[in-house]
Amino acid sequence: MDDLLAARSTMAFSLGFHIIFASVGMTMPFFMSAAHYLHLKTGKPVYLELTKMWLKGVAILFAVGAVSGTVLSFELGLLWPEFMKHAMPVIGMPFSWEGTAFFLEAVAIGLFLYGWERMNKWVHWATGLVVGIAGFSSGIFVVAVNGWMNAPTGFDWVDGAAVNIDPVAAMFNEAWLHQTMHMQVAAMQAVGFAVAGIHAALYLKGKAKEFHLRALKIALTFGAVASLLQPLVGHFAGQRVAELQPAKLAAMEGHFKTSKQAPLWIGGIPDVETQEMKWGIPLPGMLSFIAYDDVNAEVRGLEEWPREEWPPVVITHVAFQIMVGIGGVLAVLSLLFFYFWRKGNFPPWFLWTLVFSVPLGMIAIEAGWTVTEVGRQPWIVYGVMKTKDAVTPVPGMQYHFYLFLVLYFLLAVATVWLFKRQIQVAQKRLEDVL
Amino acid sequence: MIEILLFFIGASLLLYVLLGGSDYGAGILEMLPAGKLREAQKHLINEAMGPVWEANHVWLIVLVVILFMGFPGVFVPLMTYLHVPMLALLVGIVIRGATFTFRHYDAVQEEKSQRVYTWLFSGSSIWTAFWLGVIAASLGRGLIDVETRDVWSAYFAPWIGWYPAAVGVFVICIFAFLASVYLIGETEEPELRRLFLRRAAVFNVLVVLAGGLVFAASYGEKENLPAVFFAHPLTLGVLVVATGLFVALWVFVQKHRTALTRIVAAGQVTLILLGWWLLYAPNALITAQGKINFYEAAAPEATLWQLVLALLVGSCFIFPSLFFLLKVFKTKGREEF
């Protein structure tokens, strides 16, 4: 493994790990606050139990998210010093606001977790909501930085350095809006479905059924609304990518030759040598339509760019297909959810589907970030700085990678184990209490 | 404007040491034998740290963000040439935060797993504190060489030596001392109070000894510490006052003046940091090629203004909420969930 690949793998792995916890941290406090609100309004103990169950999950995942986020703030410099040197004066600003938001989140979570009986109940409720709002804002700030890497603005690049810096213009770059919307909605989907799936499994076990049904409904309401919004947001994001990064779009779609009535592929593996798509089903004209609202629009193929500026086509295309496929599945499940809720009864096969859907949203998030990041290669700052020029000169980066591989693997195992124990004990308690 | 940022750098560093540092110290204390008070001590530390440790930890992130946005000329060499100790630090931060939380939120509180969490939590507290010291010491040694191509002298020599190790030990002792003093006031239990009193006394002695060790170890360095410290009346004065305050500390301890005891201990640590700051300011880093000061390493004006704005507006949110947090939890009789 050469140092560049090791650095990229480390970054991918650290981000891929953190994003799971970050997603939970910025969405689940809202589920928790909803349950807590229902308890305060109705006085029903079942909602209190639910709030306390979820808050334990939030506490554990928030801690792992906080420490893995700290790692990232250092790792940006440890892995990409040249990037940090030139980019942070331009796009550091959202990070400074993210720091503020994270601080509020950390204070609020302390107040919420330990503040029962210590303050006015509505003030206490509000601290839980602040955890969610601050976390959600953090997510927006961080993704805005990534948006700038895809659509760099707010500076002039003269002789290998940024001049005429405008941090505000950099933050509100061309990509910030669609990327933050896409990510925040995705987090809501992923966490909503994951939480609902876990409660579906516990419901199917047949104990404390009423409790788990209520939990499922709250979580999946968030998840389902997000899942029905996402196709629209995703479409908007796709059109922006077509405009801002046509090479990324071409890689996502495995589109090699510039053509009108460009097809959209269902499945398929792009063959980079022959520049053809294998085993895919083409929907003629659909790519042109999706990208430019016109079936006859011309879509630029990868042939327009020199070969060394192509992103890895196979990874980008496959990851994109996975993301869109899962998005479709979750949207269908969301419609079914509202349908069965109206009918007043969730059939077992639907609940089982939810159980198997637990990891789907997170897989889609990972796949989506793969599209964003791998699809931007070979650039770290699109059109300005290549990834290979940003990497640290420190040798032996593979050991850095292995270190975090082992550390995070152990952390993931421990977290899952802890959750299992939490759920077992909670199940027992619910049987006694409810 | 750079002065405002230097103020925030100083403030975040100070608050991280005074608040986050005592959280490390609590972990360090748990490594020591406590006999039958072991469980009570653990419970007390869980209660004292639980609501605040994440907020205390954020000061480090604030510091890092100020550095990379406002002073990339400092941040980049730091992350490049001190790559290895930074990695060591990160591993410690991850394990410490995770195991502290896991210990509290493990639904099954059994002897064996709790012992593992505690061992990892205190082990990583010592480990992380040590590397913080090593990194701090490496900034001023003048061994960071931005021109060398040799792997050893570029990435290892800047932080290896008796002096960084001694500073690492010194930081461990300071953190444990802070935690002991703070924890005396966290409990009404006479036995626990006596335990932390004893530890405060032990670490008081150890801090002085480790301080001497730092001075001694600095004789292997390019510039030895006594020479620079005693050369300037200000740094010398700071050192004398910090040491002299031990008398005040123990007077207040005898009189059971909890708040004053804490203030004095925090004041001592503040003075030590101030001495360190006076020694180097406004330089951030001393390399083999020369001194890198904050003024030269700063980002362009427009960026610094945005950073100052974020910090000032952020402070309007952060400080009131922080005071609220402390008000809620640092008054007696907490009810935790």
Side-chain angles (χ1 to χ4, degrees), chain B residues 120 132 178-179 206 236 259 262 286:
Chain B
L120 282 170
L132 278 173
L178 273 179
L206 286 178
L236 180 64
R262 287 178 177 185
I286 300 177

Side-chain angles (χ1 to χ4, degrees), chain B:
Chain B
M1 184 175 36
I2 289 185
E3 288 75 16
I4 304 176
L5 291 172
L6 288 183
F7 168 77
F8 274 103
I9 289 178
S12 330
L13 182 66
L14 179 64
L15 289 168
Y16 184 60
V17 168
L18 291 183
L19 302 170
S22 65
D23 292 344
Y24 284 104
I28 296 165
L29 294 183
E30 283 208 52
M31 196 55 117
L32 304 173
K36 59 183 178 15
L37 290 175
R38 191 174 194 84
E39 275 303 302
Q41 170 180 259
K42 185 180 92 178
H43 188 67
L44 184 71
I45 287 174
N46 274 354
E47 279 193 346
M49 257 179 83
V52 294
W53 79 271
E54 269 154 337
N56 294 345
H57 171 75
V58 186
W59 289 114
L60 177 66
I61 300 183
V62 172
L63 193 61
V64 169
V65 171
I66 297 177
L67 280 183
F68 72 50
M69 180 177 172
F71 305 95
V74 176
F75 179 76
V76 166
L78 216 62
M79 292 295 154
T80 307
Y81 298 99
L82 299 181
H83 192 107
V84 179
M86 289 289 175
L87 262 189
L89 181 78
L90 289 179
V91 171
I93 285 174
V94 168
I95 296 178
R96 191 186 76 104
T99 50
F100 176 73
T101 307
F102 289 179
R103 179 170 84 168
H104 187 63
Y105 282 99
D106 190 341
V108 187
Q109 298 272 326
E110 54 181 359
E111 177 74 25
K112 208 169 125 193
S113 54
Q114 287 287 314
R115 247 205 329 257
V116 175
Y117 295 136
T118 300
W119 190 84
L120 282 170
F121 166 58
S122 22
S124 57
S125 296
I126 296 177
W127 168 269
T128 316
F130 176 78
W131 289 106
L132 278 173
V134 169
I135 290 167
S138 306
L139 304 180
R141 294 179 83 199
L143 292 182
I144 289 177
D145 187 342
V146 298
E147 281 166 9
T148 181
R149 296 252 154 236
D150 176 51
V151 171
W152 174 265
S153 42
Y155 307 114
F156 292 91
W159 53 273
I160 287 180
W162 291 111
Y163 173 64
V167 177
V169 173
F170 183 61
V171 171
I172 294 175
C173 295
I174 284 200
F175 286 175
F177 168 70
L178 273 179
S180 311
V181 173
Y182 289 175
L183 283 166
I184 299 171
E186 288 286 320
T187 177
E188 300 288 331
E189 285 289 320
E191 274 189 282
L192 267 181
R193 282 181 73 97
R194 270 202 297 280
L195 177 76
F196 292 123
L197 263 174
R198 211 161 54 232
R199 287 184 170 170
V202 169
F203 278 104
N204 184 349
V205 175
L206 286 178
V207 164
V208 176
L209 287 178
L213 194 66
V214 169
F215 275 86
S218 77
Y219 273 96
E221 299 294 303
K222 282 185 181 169
E223 281 186 328
N224 69 63
L225 218 45
V228 279
F229 237 100
F230 298 137
H232 201 289
L234 222 49
T235 46
L236 180 64
V238 163
L239 189 70
V240 171
V241 176
T243 315
L245 276 177
F246 275 124
V247 179
L249 180 82
W250 289 100
V251 169
F252 291 134
V253 166
Q254 293 308 321
K255 291 187 172 172
H256 294 280
R257 302 293 295 271
T258 307
L260 282 173
T261 320
R262 287 178 177 185
I263 290 170
V264 171
Q268 288 180 297
V269 176
T270 309
L271 285 171
I272 292 169
L273 277 177
L274 183 69
W276 184 51
W277 182 267
L278 287 173
L279 217 49
Y280 294 110
N283 296 311
L285 205 57
I286 300 177
T287 70
Q289 282 71 31
K291 296 173 176 173
I292 299 181
N293 75 39
F294 281 106
Y295 291 87
E296 296 158 0
E301 194 96 333
T303 309
L304 298 182
W305 274 118
Q306 290 300 329
L307 182 55
V308 167
L309 183 71
L311 287 167
L312 291 177
V313 175
S315 301
C316 298
F317 287 101
I318 289 167
F319 285 104
S321 63
L322 214 53
F323 282 123
F324 184 59
L325 182 76
L326 293 178
K327 185 174 155 288
V328 169
F329 293 110
K330 295 298 161 188
T331 41
K332 289 284 171 305
R334 67 179 64 75
E335 181 75 35
E336 62 158 332
F337 175 71

